[in-house]
Amino acid sequence: MDLAPLELAVNRLRDAQAAVDAARADVEMEAVGAVRNGAPVDVVCDACGLAPHDLLRMEKTAGELPH
C-alpha cells in the first residue's frame, strides 16, 4: 500500500497549521500594539475578530512588544 500521498497531505496540513498559528500570533501582537498606541478597543476588535475581553487580557499580559 502506497501511503506517500497521505504523508504528503499530512505534511501540507501541518505546514498550514503552523502558518495559521504564526499569523494568529502576528494579529494578536499587532492588535495589542494598536490598543497601546491609542486605537479604540472596539475598532481593533472589529478589524481583527478578537473579543474585547481577550484583547484586554492580552494587552495586560503581553509585556514589551518587539518594534
Side-chain angles (χ1 to χ4, degrees), residues 3-52:
L3 295 180
L6 174 60
E7 291 170 356
L8 183 61
V10 169
N11 287 334
R12 286 194 313 264
L13 176 61
R14 287 183 182 145
D15 290 346
Q17 288 171 331
V20 167
D21 290 343
R24 182 177 299 112
D26 288 346
V27 167
E28 290 172 354
M29 182 182 68
E30 293 297 334
V32 166
V35 168
R36 287 185 178 174
N37 286 327
V41 171
D42 59 331
V43 173
V44 173
C45 289
D46 286 345
C48 68
L50 291 170

